[in-house]
Amino acid sequence: MLKPSVVKELKTIVGADNLSTSPEDLVVYSYDATQQEALPWAVARPGTAEEVSRILRLANEELFPVVPRGAGTGMSGGSVPVRGGVVLSFERMNKILEIDEENLIAVVEPGVVTGFLQQEVEARGLFYPPDPASHQFCTMGGNVAECAGGLRAVKYGVTKDYVLGLEVVLPTGEIIRTGARTAKSVAGYDLTKLIVGSEGTLGVATKIIVRLLPLPESVRTLSAFFGSAEEAAAAASRIMAGRILPRALEFIDRAALRAVEGYLKEDISGGAEAMLLVEVDGSAEATGRDIGAIEALVIKAGAARVIRAETGAERERIWKARRSISPALYAIKPKKMNEDIVVPRSRIAEILREIGAIAGRHGLLIVNFGHAGDGNIHTNIMHDEGEAAKVEEAVKEIFAAVLRLGGSISGEHGIGLSKAAYLPMEVGQAALDAMKRIKQALDPKGILNPGKIFLNAE
Amino acid sequence: MLKPSVVKELKTIVGADNLSTSPEDLVVYSYDATQQEALPWAVARPGTAEEVSRILRLANEELFPVVPRGAGTGMSGGSVPVRGGVVLSFERMNKILEIDEENLIAVVEPGVVTGFLQQEVEARGLFYPPDPASHQFCTMGGNVAECAGGLRAVKYGVTKDYVLGLEVVLPTGEIIRTGARTAKSVAGYDLTKLIVGSEGTLGVATKIIVRLLPLPESVRTLSAFFGSAEEAAAAASRIMAGRILPRALEFIDRAALRAVEGYLKEDISGGAEAMLLVEVDGSAEATGRDIGAIEALVIKAGAARVIRAETGAERERIWKARRSISPALYAIKPKKMNEDIVVPRSRIAEILREIGAIAGRHGLLIVNFGHAGDGNIHTNIMHDEGEAAKVEEAVKEIFAAVLRLGGSISGEHGIGLSKAAYLPMEVGQAALDAMKRIKQALDPKGILNPGKIFLNAE
């Protein structure tokens, strides 16, 4: 709980209108997409980096946790205030400050919705590639904190690959600028890329400089339907080895197809066991040729049916199906444990086989879909209340298999609360200690987003 | 100086054949491309990460500096052992361990020469884009330490953009693995990207996992000659704003042209005042169209003459000229201070104007060439012995102008010794303190490459 004097001071900093302490307000900031929740003690809506800095300085004096929050669409509990404290919410800092068409950069505040930035730059013939499935809701600040990936990462990379510089408030309250308005800069340690993906534990971004690309001239999309998940996975590996780099290469398994078909009340797959969704971009000639080559390749790999999206409406229909999977899965079971494992692309069929065996052993339904192109599979362990122990066992076995294949336990969701117990499996004790020493060096009092990434962390 | 017992222990670790202490051996490891030099006390050539680890543990007990070194082609003194100690040289760890064609990754030891890796992957239809001008000599370990850039960075980015994971020996001797064999991974803090570009001060890479791309089908090159540097710079900015992303866009000024023409004994430019070198890659159709569009654009921007390289030999001739600039400059003056400033692309003409004025004020010849596409200009202040004070003044003024324009004092060479005095100008005291706290957290005894990045650092 916050002392009344602290509440008063917070009101002085952000203005009384921008500080909430009433229970009905607090509950709105208590959860994210993982269904985990914890009530904060207060929610502050700062308007400037200076205000964020003053809040953090106060927190270091009065020793309360500060938890930065974007739109709460996170998939690992990153913004859930598990130790209470003050949530920093950036709805007021939601402006695109600049789109510099000459230098292909944009400067935004953390509260800008990612999809809005995409729209604005596309209207100018430019392109911001990172594309989390939640792009219509999630914010750039949240994307930076989690190093969000998305559908186009296979070709274009993730948030980190686009952030050139930041204005950051350090956990101890200092405002620093990292990086530059240029694609290259090697002036000292790369604090930009250390902060991006640090899940709001090493600093609070208050300004974000991203690089933009020219908008590709042409995009072409196809969906391919298979008689088995293994066949589809093998076809995906074949595409990636085929030296054409698609901008999206998504895999959807049987259970996910059935769920989304029920949810949208639409037959998408004609009863197929698995689907691939492939999209290429580039010059019109190149995409025409590439999509033809990919079509031939998937047919050779055993696709029973291939549909090219010839119009924008057809393309939208396919993507809508893909984006509806997450909500659709709740029709199967009341609870899901959503993991976002990643393996080398050629090992997708192998990991799916292993997951199938693990599901069988534990009597669980595990639904798999996601970014086959970069080996990043969303593995959803569907379950009822009271099956937590079984689920935990299955997760541990899946992660062990992933690491055996040279992968990572999280491709784009982050560690947060959900995976803190498993992080040591991946990185080992010495690397974990190095990370903790960095946290300690920048946040000696453990003020910023405590309880995340490190199990039992301060 | 090392105690005899330490020398003995080092011999036990790496083998007597792999430890040098004789003056004639030491001098070979005393300098880099900056002409700065300092003798190490010993040179160890480890063969494994385990040996590196044992050397670092010994150094932490006996308190001697350890300085990792690639091929000594660095441009900021990064590998110069200014505090003495033991140089770690990686000539024995020079193997490409794996080229995984299915997953588009390669795993290499730090002593692999960058150009050799490029060749080997290109023979398999793959592509490792980072391309420092010294690629025939420099090593992957050095590239990782400095986050080397190069000629293709405008389109493809720098070393950091390709390193997926590392085996690293921390300054205190622990061997850790960072990242994964996958393009995505967000398991805890991004130690990979913190180590890359840390100039050998935070860890020693003993294994490097890089991602590869499919080799572009077609490459086309043109050179364009202008009546003034400003015209050429403006044309470069125009190209970058034109929504075609060239894979190289190099600028060469009058003095650099004359120097290289003298050095190669060849008329390259027909007496032009400035030259642009533009290269595009992609599908054959796209490059044909793109190079035509760029040709039209540079002519409209005032190019007096444009030459397209129609054959491999013509292309090689142009690139040879570009790569010969650095050595050619020594014909002008015995000493050069080589800065690698970077400004937003649209500000190139402006910074060249400022540099011209600064050169005029100090009576110095300043030669400019480099990566116009990403705003990264190599600014060479030519001088004689005894002009150091004047040069230092000019450097400070150039850096101030660069920072005013939103740039960075180093695009790809690093801070090292040469720019340590200027780093605070760019990043400010609070960010500098954060960097020092990270260094202190990972290297509490200041063993690894001391005296670099931070002025008067331990």
Side-chain angles (χ1 to χ4, degrees):
Chain A
M1 287 295 125
L2 295 170
K3 290 189 289 189
S5 64
V6 169
V7 173
K8 199 176 151 212
E9 180 61 20
L10 288 170
K11 281 186 183 165
T12 309
I13 294 171
V14 293
D17 285 354
N18 298 312
L19 191 82
S20 301
T21 51
S22 73
E24 57 278 24
D25 282 345
L26 298 183
V27 78
V28 179
Y29 298 89
S30 65
Y31 59 87
D32 74 354
T34 57
Q35 303 173 305
Q36 297 173 87
E37 52 182 284
L39 277 180
W41 304 337
V43 175
R45 288 174 289 275
T48 64
E50 189 52 48
E51 290 177 13
V52 174
S53 165
R54 288 173 65 192
I55 293 169
L56 278 163
R57 288 188 195 278
L58 183 65
N60 274 277
E61 281 161 28
E62 301 284 348
L63 301 180
F64 57 84
V66 174
V67 181
R69 180 185 174 88
T73 58
M75 295 293 226
S76 57
S79 63
V80 179
V82 274
R83 308 261 168 104
V86 175
V87 161
L88 291 183
S89 185
F90 291 94
E91 48 241 72
R92 293 172 65 213
M93 293 178 72
N94 65 349
K95 277 168 282 302
I96 295 178
L97 300 173
E98 192 183 341
I99 296 174
D100 177 344
E101 298 191 43
E102 261 188 318
N103 293 300
L104 303 189
I105 61 180
V107 185
V108 303
E109 291 185 319
V112 168
V113 170
T114 308
F116 178 65
L117 174 65
Q118 289 173 335
Q119 251 175 47
E120 290 296 302
V121 304
E122 284 173 26
R124 290 161 174 81
L126 296 172
F127 187 37
Y128 178 68
D131 191 33
S134 58
H135 72 282
Q136 289 176 298
F137 317 102
C138 65
T139 64
M140 291 294 291
N143 288 184
V144 163
E146 300 295 325
C147 187
L151 301 163
R152 300 168 186 151
V154 53
K155 178 166 180 176
Y156 289 106
V158 297
T159 301
K160 184 163 295 184
D161 299 310
Y162 292 85
V163 179
L164 300 178
L166 296 168
E167 179 184 78
V168 177
V169 186
L170 292 176
T172 38
E174 299 89 342
I175 303 173
I176 65 170
R177 262 155 227 87
T178 71
R181 293 171 67 94
T182 59
K184 281 171 163 178
S185 170
V186 288
Y189 299 152
D190 192 341
L191 297 180
T192 308
K193 287 181 165 48
L194 181 64
I195 299 287
V196 178
S198 70
E199 308 191 17
T201 68
L202 294 182
V204 181
T206 47
K207 213 176 273 179
I208 303 160
I209 308 175
V210 293
R211 82 186 165 99
L212 305 172
L213 296 179
L215 188 63
E217 172 189 302
S218 155
V219 177
R220 295 188 205 228
T221 309
L222 67 74
S223 41
F225 301 94
F226 294 83
S228 76
E230 292 223 4
E231 243 178 8
S237 295
R238 207 86 67 83
I239 292 170
M240 291 308 299
R243 308 292 157 88
I244 295 167
L245 197 57
R247 84 161 183 184
L249 174 47
E250 295 288 308
F251 166 85
I252 306 173
D253 81 355
R254 180 180 190 287
L257 279 173
R258 293 303 90 81
V260 82
E261 286 169 338
Y263 183 78
L264 296 176
K265 300 190 187 7
E266 196 178 329
D267 178 11
I268 291 159
S269 69
E273 294 290 305
M275 169 177 168
L276 288 184
L277 201 167
V278 193
E279 191 160 274
V280 295
D281 66 6
S283 69
E285 302 92 339
T287 58
R289 195 182 51 173
D290 290 350
I291 204 78
I294 287 171
E295 179 165 5
L297 196 152
V298 293
I299 289 172
K300 207 172 146 204
R305 197 160 58 107
V306 178
I307 304 176
R308 284 208 209 176
E310 300 290 350
T311 65
E314 282 171 22
R315 200 178 147 242
E316 196 30 55
R317 181 168 163 261
I318 296 180
W319 280 113
K320 192 178 164 202
R322 164 63 184 85
R323 290 204 164 97
S324 303
I325 297 174
S326 267
L329 291 182
Y330 284 113
I332 304 179
K333 287 270 182 183
K335 294 193 85 71
K336 61 173 177 171
M337 175 67 83
N338 177 352
E339 303 298 346
D340 79 312
I341 56 167
V342 53
V343 293
R345 294 145 174 174
S346 68
R347 317 308 284 271
I348 295 170
E350 208 169 329
I351 193 69
L352 290 177
R353 215 157 38 227
E354 295 241 27
I355 292 171
I358 292 164
R361 272 205 300 281
H362 294 282
L364 287 163
L365 174 65
I366 302 185
V367 183
N368 297 295
F369 67 95
H371 318 309
D374 47 31
N376 185 199
I377 301 292
H378 297 309
T379 291
N380 293 267
I381 307 175
M382 308 309 300
H383 59 287
D384 297 306
E385 301 281 355
E387 293 187 300
K390 207 156 79 169
V391 171
E392 199 175 305
E393 263 319 295
V395 167
K396 221 177 284 174
E397 291 173 23
I398 292 170
F399 286 169
V402 162
L403 296 175
R404 235 177 7 249
L405 297 176
S408 176
I409 65 172
S410 180
E412 55 185 25
H413 292 171
I415 299 301
L417 295 172
S418 315
K419 284 172 220 163
Y422 308 105
L423 181 59
M425 282 176 72
E426 174 161 346
V427 302
Q429 197 54 48
L432 197 69
D433 285 347
M435 292 178 193
K436 283 183 181 171
R437 291 204 299 271
I438 292 169
K439 168 68 174 173
Q440 172 71 24
L442 296 185
D443 187 8
K445 295 187 179 165
I447 293 303
L448 201 57
N449 209 5
K452 309 299 165 65
I453 302 181
F454 309 112
L455 200 63
N456 302 320
E458 285 318 301
Chain B
M1 288 297 126
L2 295 170
K3 289 189 288 188
S5 64
V6 169
V7 173
K8 200 176 149 213
E9 179 63 19
L10 288 170
K11 281 185 184 165
T12 308
I13 295 170
V14 293
D17 286 355
N18 299 313
L19 191 82
S20 301
T21 51
S22 73
E24 59 277 23
D25 282 346
L26 297 182
V27 76
V28 178
Y29 297 88
S30 66
Y31 58 88
D32 73 355
T34 57
Q35 302 174 306
Q36 297 173 87
E37 53 182 283
L39 278 181
W41 304 336
V43 175
R45 289 175 289 276
T48 64
E50 189 53 46
E51 290 177 13
V52 174
S53 164
R54 287 173 64 192
I55 294 169
L56 279 162
R57 288 188 195 278
L58 183 66
N60 275 276
E61 281 160 27
E62 301 284 347
L63 301 180
F64 57 85
V66 174
V67 181
R69 179 185 174 92
T73 58
M75 296 293 226
S76 57
S79 64
V80 178
V82 274
R83 309 261 167 103
V86 175
V87 161
L88 291 184
S89 185
F90 290 94
E91 47 243 69
R92 293 172 65 212
M93 294 179 69
N94 65 350
K95 276 168 283 306
I96 296 178
L97 300 173
E98 193 183 340
I99 296 174
D100 177 343
E101 298 191 43
E102 262 188 316
N103 293 300
L104 304 188
I105 61 179
V107 184
V108 303
E109 290 185 321
V112 168
V113 170
T114 308
F116 178 65
L117 174 66
Q118 289 172 337
Q119 252 174 45
E120 290 295 302
V121 303
E122 284 173 26
R124 290 162 174 80
L126 297 172
F127 187 38
Y128 177 69
D131 191 33
S134 59
H135 72 284
Q136 290 176 299
F137 316 102
C138 65
T139 65
M140 290 295 291
N143 288 184
V144 163
E146 300 296 325
C147 188
L151 300 163
R152 302 169 185 152
V154 52
K155 178 167 181 177
Y156 289 105
V158 297
T159 302
K160 184 162 296 184
D161 299 311
Y162 292 85
V163 180
L164 299 178
L166 295 170
E167 178 185 79
V168 176
V169 186
L170 292 177
T172 38
E174 298 90 342
I175 302 173
I176 65 170
R177 261 155 226 89
T178 72
R181 294 171 66 96
T182 59
K184 283 171 162 178
S185 169
V186 288
Y189 300 152
D190 193 340
L191 298 180
T192 308
K193 288 182 163 51
L194 181 64
I195 299 287
V196 178
S198 69
E199 307 190 17
T201 68
L202 294 182
V204 181
T206 47
K207 212 175 273 178
I208 304 160
I209 308 174
V210 294
R211 82 187 165 99
L212 305 171
L213 296 179
L215 188 65
E217 170 189 304
S218 154
V219 176
R220 296 188 203 227
T221 310
L222 68 72
S223 41
F225 301 94
F226 294 84
S228 77
E230 290 222 4
E231 242 177 10
S237 295
R238 206 84 68 82
I239 292 170
M240 291 308 299
R243 308 293 157 90
I244 296 168
L245 198 55
R247 85 162 183 182
L249 175 46
E250 295 289 307
F251 166 85
I252 306 173
D253 81 355
R254 179 178 191 289
L257 280 174
R258 293 303 89 80
V260 83
E261 287 168 337
Y263 182 79
L264 296 176
K265 301 193 188 356
E266 196 180 327
D267 178 10
I268 292 159
S269 70
E273 294 291 304
M275 169 178 168
L276 288 184
L277 202 168
V278 193
E279 191 161 274
V280 295
D281 67 6
S283 70
E285 303 92 338
T287 58
R289 195 182 51 175
D290 290 350
I291 204 78
I294 287 171
E295 180 166 5
L297 195 152
V298 294
I299 289 171
K300 206 171 147 203
R305 197 161 58 107
V306 178
I307 304 176
R308 283 207 210 177
E310 300 291 350
T311 66
E314 282 171 23
R315 203 181 144 238
E316 196 31 54
R317 181 167 163 262
I318 297 181
W319 280 113
K320 192 178 164 202
R322 165 63 185 84
R323 291 203 165 98
S324 304
I325 297 174
S326 267
L329 291 182
Y330 285 113
I332 304 180
K333 287 270 182 183
K335 295 193 83 71
K336 60 173 179 171
M337 175 67 85
N338 176 352
E339 302 298 348
D340 78 311
I341 56 167
V342 53
V343 294
R345 295 145 172 172
S346 68
R347 318 306 283 271
I348 295 169
E350 208 167 332
I351 194 69
L352 290 177
R353 217 158 37 230
E354 296 240 27
I355 291 170
I358 291 164
R361 272 205 302 281
H362 294 280
L364 287 163
L365 173 65
I366 302 186
V367 183
N368 297 293
F369 67 94
H371 319 309
D374 47 32
N376 184 199
I377 301 292
H378 296 309
T379 292
N380 292 267
I381 307 174
M382 309 309 301
H383 59 288
D384 297 305
E385 301 280 355
E387 294 188 301
K390 207 155 83 170
V391 172
E392 199 176 306
E393 263 318 295
V395 168
K396 221 177 285 175
E397 290 172 24
I398 292 171
F399 286 169
V402 163
L403 296 175
R404 237 179 4 251
L405 297 176
S408 175
I409 65 173
S410 180
E412 55 186 24
H413 292 171
I415 299 301
L417 295 172
S418 315
K419 284 172 218 162
Y422 309 104
L423 182 59
M425 281 176 72
E426 173 160 347
V427 302
Q429 197 53 48
L432 197 68
D433 285 347
M435 293 179 193
K436 284 183 181 172
R437 291 204 298 271
I438 292 169
K439 169 70 174 171
Q440 172 70 24
L442 297 185
D443 187 8
K445 295 185 179 165
I447 293 302
L448 201 57
N449 209 3
K452 309 299 165 64
I453 302 180
F454 310 112
L455 200 62
N456 303 319
E458 285 322 297

